[in-house]
Amino acid sequence: MIAYIAGKLTDKTPVKIVIDCNGIGYDLRIPISTYEKLPPIDSPVKLFIQMVVSDDDIKLYAFHSCQEKELFQLLTSVNGIGAKIALSVLSAMSWQTFIKNIRSEDVDSLITIPGLGKKTVQRLILELRDKIENTDLASVSLPGENLNQKMLNEAETAL
């Protein structure tokens, strides 16, 4: 299994990049969230890798953070969700926002992701809600989660 690739960024588009690693050019698929954090061409870069093997193809997917990679793995573990839709999710919103929406069962926000319909979103919520709590993603404190109700009420009153 490949954990990460470190090398020189030789080509980049919003959906794929090429990294030269000791004379070998790796063609990697990426979400837009990773593209936005890439350095300029010919700069050194290190990305976390997920290899996906299908019946007729092998593709490498690259992510800026371990959390993005872990969420990609969780998404593709859901029946009917492939790598293309998982990349669409990571491109549409940050992994923190996605987890918040899953935890709060916010169907309306999740339905805005290209490739996801209402039934698929409901299945995602059902299957991922418990899986997320058993990963490192659950330990991340999301904005607003640690505020107590009194503070929220005071802020609402002030507004």
Side-chain angles (χ1 to χ4, degrees):
M1 181 61 80
I2 302 170
Y4 67 88
I5 292 179
K8 183 173 75 169
L9 184 65
T10 60
D11 187 30
K12 68 178 181 177
T13 68
V15 293
K16 77 174 198 165
I17 61 171
V18 176
I19 295 180
D20 180 339
C21 183
N22 295 324
I24 298 173
Y26 289 94
D27 184 17
L28 309 167
R29 304 291 183 259
I30 58 169
I32 291 174
S33 58
T34 295
Y35 176 78
E36 293 169 345
K37 295 173 184 152
L38 288 173
I41 300 288
D42 292 330
S43 298
V45 66
K46 177 182 173 182
L47 297 172
F48 299 93
I49 302 300
Q50 177 65 40
M51 183 170 57
V52 176
V53 179
S54 63
D55 292 337
D56 60 346
D57 200 11
I58 298 174
K59 287 187 179 168
L60 295 174
Y61 294 87
F63 307 95
H64 184 262
S65 68
C66 291
Q67 292 86 358
E68 286 181 333
K69 178 183 173 181
E70 190 169 8
L71 182 56
F72 180 86
Q73 292 169 331
L74 278 175
L75 286 164
T76 55
S77 73
V78 174
N79 190 23
I81 303 295
K84 186 177 180 180
I85 292 179
L87 277 185
S88 179
V89 168
L90 288 166
S91 294
M93 61 181 59
S94 70
W95 64 269
Q96 297 98 328
T97 303
F98 181 79
I99 290 172
K100 185 182 116 212
N101 289 335
I102 290 291
R103 285 179 176 166
S104 64
E105 300 182 19
D106 188 354
V107 174
D108 294 332
S109 293
L110 294 170
I111 217 166
T112 62
I113 299 171
L116 294 182
K118 187 173 183 175
K119 288 183 181 181
T120 306
V121 166
Q122 290 169 338
R123 188 166 22 93
L124 272 176
I125 290 170
L126 181 67
E127 292 191 34
L128 291 182
R129 189 176 45 220
D130 295 331
K131 285 183 181 180
I132 286 172
E133 299 309 319
N134 297 325
T135 66
D136 292 337
L137 299 173
S139 64
V140 174
S141 177
L142 300 175
E145 276 190 341
N146 294 331
L147 297 176
N148 63 31
Q149 192 59 43
K150 181 180 177 185
M151 290 174 66
L152 288 173
N153 289 341
E154 287 177 16
E156 189 177 61
T157 302
L159 291 173

